[in-house]
Amino acid sequence: MAPGTVHVVGAADPILTRVVAEDKVSWYKKPNLRILYLLLLPTCIGIEMTSGFDSQMINTVQIVPSWQEYFNHPKGSLKGIIAAIYSLGAICALPFVPLVNDRFGRRWAIFFGSFMMVFGSILQGFANGSAMYIIARWFLGFGIPFCIVAGSALIGELSYPKERPILTSLFNALYFVGALVAAGISFGTQDIKSDWAWRIPSLLQAVPSALQIAFVFFSPESPRFLISKDKREEAFAILVKYHAEGDANSEIVKAEMAQIESTIKIELEHSKRSWWEMVRPPGMRRRVIIASFLGLFTQWSGNTLISYYLNDLLVLIGYTDPKFKGKLNVGLNSWQLVNGVTAALLVRRFPRRVMYMTCTISLLCVYIGWTISMEQFLTKHGEAAAKLTIFFIFLYSPAYNIGYNALTYTYLVELFPFAQRARGITIFQFWGRGAGFFTTFVNPIGLENIKWRWLITYCCWIAFEIVFVWFMFPETGGRTLEELAFLFEDKALADEATMAVEKQIHHEENPLEEITSKAAPTQTKEVV
């Protein structure tokens, strides 16, 4: 079933979605839209490359003998804190993320977060001991949520409605580009007979963030943010340039502007944009519960075992050769990139709930098989069981990516209205980073002490995820962001926003006439 035909309970009438669907011109045939997406690639879509680079860099440098020797072969809690401090740094940043986003805009938040990560990468590359290395990774973690929250929101708020689900899904998929590059670089530097074997990958972690700093202000600001700051003419000019190829009389852009303006006006009239209102209204409470558990699910579904401790897993099943482990890691990350991008490109074809249920059920099946094969190897030491364990490690990524990777930020951007979007994604980040800190810290302890039985805890948790997704996750596919703004609220609010769009489309009144006349003559100067 195509998302456009999905019935979304509580959502506004998809009047603009239907109008946009009539536009049959592909994005790559629109020069200005092409330029927009090319700008979004390094500044927004590429943000998760930094997260992927970090997880694989810290994973693969553990295979490098010089790293082990320099840090005196860290084990247990020290190994755990080296990986987990990244998440702790992110948690410390979260109270400030919405403030920067809502006050200074999406672009400044990306710039600030990227600057912090460049600083952290340099500190990490020149670390003179465990303490400096851990502090550097804290700075890296502190910077990443500013970029993720702002970048995911900016993609959703700038994209043409037809391509928005795919672009927000590719946001997470590019995690694997960073992971693959880190795995390849670390594998390539293994043969360097000095500390530079791990210092080079550590320093190169700054590259994605440096690209964001270089290109972020070439990208336009979010029209939603500009409208919330009473910069209507500038917002309209951006929509005209990129969504209508410079046609100030485009009916689609006028309807889009009417929908955004009316919805944000209603939102801000009923919102104080405070943390308290995230838990006061029943509808917002449900959104917060969903975002919180989604944060837990994305980190407690067993993925951090593979992302951070593949080396330990391979040692447990008898693979100790650094060359073999390095090659397998590169192959695994290549496979993850392929199926991650494939899943992102499928998001418009299936309802969100179908993809999430497929994801969670598949993960449970994979983890049960993985647990059994690992137990068989550790008790009988059969080569077939070891190979079967590697098979399940490879099978894990498509199961995870079809939901938790492909849909996470697409779903969050759709779930929260503009006025609460930054805080909503920040709440998701809080629980996700907290879960990431906990699980990356305890994973090496669990593997060391109870071996294959540690995987049973993930089997139980994933079973709970299936139940939660079935009962709590609403369908959000096939609607614009504004059509989903009052998903859990009074239907009258959604109808009020819909009426403004209908009036614009049917020319009953032209609320944008003044904006059009002001913006059209100056649009090139303001948006170039």
Side-chain angles (χ1 to χ4, degrees):
M1 182 187 296
T5 63
V6 174
H7 176 62
V8 182
V9 178
D13 181 38
I15 182 170
L16 182 57
T17 299
R18 289 194 293 267
V19 172
V20 170
E22 295 174 4
D23 177 12
K24 303 301 182 183
V25 181
S26 300
W27 67 269
Y28 53 83
K29 295 180 180 178
K30 300 177 179 180
N32 289 351
L33 197 58
R34 269 201 320 265
I35 291 170
L36 175 64
Y37 292 162
L38 285 173
L39 287 171
L40 289 178
L41 182 61
T43 57
C44 295
I45 303 175
I47 284 171
E48 277 289 9
M49 286 194 296
T50 305
S51 297
F53 195 106
D54 181 81
S55 68
Q56 276 310 304
M57 189 276 299
I58 200 64
N59 192 358
T60 52
V61 292
Q62 294 179 56
I63 302 171
V64 178
S66 62
W67 186 90
Q68 291 285 349
E69 292 170 10
Y70 193 87
F71 295 106
N72 198 25
H73 299 274
K75 295 180 180 179
S77 59
L78 178 58
K79 181 188 282 189
I81 199 65
I82 286 174
I85 196 68
Y86 184 83
S87 295
L88 183 60
I91 293 170
C92 294
L94 292 176
F96 310 103
V97 172
L99 298 176
V100 176
N101 263 273
D102 291 338
R103 181 167 297 181
F104 301 104
R106 313 306 194 202
R107 296 184 301 176
W108 275 108
I110 293 171
F111 179 86
F112 176 76
S114 299
F115 180 83
M116 294 296 293
M117 286 188 287
V118 168
F119 175 73
S121 298
I122 294 171
L123 205 62
Q124 179 179 248
F126 292 105
N128 59 8
S130 298
M132 186 173 173
Y133 195 76
I134 290 170
I135 291 170
R137 291 186 50 72
W138 183 91
F139 276 106
L140 283 163
F142 188 87
I144 192 66
F146 287 95
C147 295
I148 288 178
V149 173
S152 58
L154 188 59
I155 293 171
E157 292 165 4
L158 271 176
S159 303
Y160 193 60
K162 280 203 298 186
E163 287 87 41
R164 176 183 52 77
I166 292 177
L167 290 175
T168 49
S169 296
L170 285 173
F171 177 78
N172 237 8
L174 262 69
Y175 173 98
F176 299 113
V177 173
L180 177 60
V181 170
I185 289 171
S186 299
F187 177 70
T189 58
Q190 273 186 21
D191 293 331
I192 298 176
K193 304 301 181 183
S194 70
D195 295 341
W196 287 105
W198 59 268
R199 291 188 189 276
I200 290 173
S202 299
L203 289 169
L204 289 177
Q205 189 169 346
V207 172
S209 300
L211 288 174
Q212 288 147 32
I213 291 172
F215 288 101
V216 68
F217 290 109
F218 288 98
S219 171
E221 183 55 88
S222 162
R224 273 93 172 167
F225 171 78
L226 293 171
I227 289 171
S228 73
K229 298 298 183 183
D230 293 325
K231 298 180 180 179
R232 294 174 176 83
E233 291 83 2
E234 189 177 344
F236 184 69
I238 289 171
L239 292 175
V240 166
K241 179 175 181 179
Y242 295 107
H243 289 193
E245 296 301 306
D247 180 9
N249 296 313
S250 166
E251 294 300 326
I252 290 178
V253 167
K254 289 181 180 180
E256 194 176 8
M257 187 72 180
Q259 187 182 67
I260 294 171
E261 266 205 296
S262 58
T263 303
I264 289 179
K265 179 183 177 183
I266 296 168
E267 284 184 42
L268 296 181
E269 284 176 353
H270 294 82
S271 170
K272 294 181 179 178
R273 305 186 83 173
S274 66
W275 286 105
W276 169 242
E277 74 174 357
M278 300 301 291
V279 294
R280 185 176 55 83
M284 200 55 63
R285 277 202 301 273
R286 182 173 176 184
R287 289 184 178 93
V288 168
I289 290 170
I290 293 169
S292 300
F293 275 91
L294 185 57
L296 296 177
F297 296 165
T298 56
Q299 297 299 318
W300 278 359
S301 297
N303 49 309
T304 53
L305 265 177
I306 300 172
S307 297
Y308 287 92
Y309 300 110
L310 180 63
N311 180 54
D312 292 5
L313 290 170
L314 293 176
V315 169
L316 273 177
I317 55 175
Y319 294 98
T320 56
D321 178 29
K323 287 286 186 184
F324 172 81
K325 288 186 287 187
K327 290 177 181 178
L328 186 140
N329 192 42
V330 172
L332 179 60
N333 280 282
S334 301
W335 165 238
Q336 289 174 331
L337 174 61
V338 170
N339 64 67
V341 172
T342 301
L345 296 176
L346 292 174
V347 294
R348 290 176 57 189
R349 295 181 176 270
F350 301 98
R352 309 290 190 250
R353 281 173 52 84
V354 169
M355 293 185 73
Y356 271 124
M357 288 302 298
T358 302
C359 168
T360 51
I361 293 171
S362 300
L363 283 175
L364 181 59
C365 294
V366 168
Y367 245 92
I368 290 172
W370 183 0
T371 304
I372 293 170
S373 67
M374 202 161 179
E375 183 272 337
Q376 286 293 300
F377 175 82
L378 291 174
T379 54
K380 299 179 180 179
H381 302 285
E383 185 179 350
K387 291 180 178 178
L388 190 59
T389 300
I390 291 178
F391 168 76
F392 281 117
I393 289 174
F394 272 79
L395 190 60
Y396 177 89
S397 67
Y400 180 90
N401 289 341
I402 197 170
Y404 292 143
N405 186 274
L407 282 182
T408 295
Y409 290 101
T410 299
Y411 199 65
L412 288 166
V413 169
E414 293 172 345
L415 189 65
F416 286 96
F418 171 81
Q420 291 86 21
R421 188 164 293 138
R423 284 183 174 81
I425 300 176
T426 298
I427 289 171
F428 160 81
Q429 282 281 309
F430 173 80
W431 289 100
R433 297 296 174 179
F437 174 79
F438 175 80
T439 192
T440 50
F441 182 76
V442 302
N443 271 334
I445 300 171
L447 286 174
E448 186 177 342
N449 292 320
I450 58 176
K451 305 296 190 291
W452 65 270
R453 294 176 183 82
W454 179 240
L455 275 64
I456 297 175
T457 61
Y458 287 112
C459 293
C460 297
W461 177 257
I462 295 169
F464 165 72
E465 291 178 10
I466 296 171
V467 176
F468 188 93
V469 169
W470 176 261
F471 286 105
M472 289 296 292
F473 277 36
E475 181 56 56
T476 61
R479 296 292 191 279
T480 67
L481 299 183
E482 282 66 41
E483 288 162 358
L484 292 164
F486 307 110
L487 186 62
F488 301 128
E489 280 74 32
D490 189 346
K491 190 69 167 60
L493 297 176
D495 292 340
E496 186 179 338
T498 300
M499 192 178 299
V501 181
E502 287 178 338
K503 287 180 179 180
Q504 177 60 48
I505 290 174
H506 296 111
H507 303 285
E508 294 177 21
E509 60 180 61
N510 192 351
L512 298 174
E513 186 175 354
E514 183 181 348
I515 294 175
T516 305
S517 62
K518 290 181 179 179
T522 58
Q523 70 189 60
T524 304
K525 184 177 74 174
E526 291 183 4
V527 191
V528 166

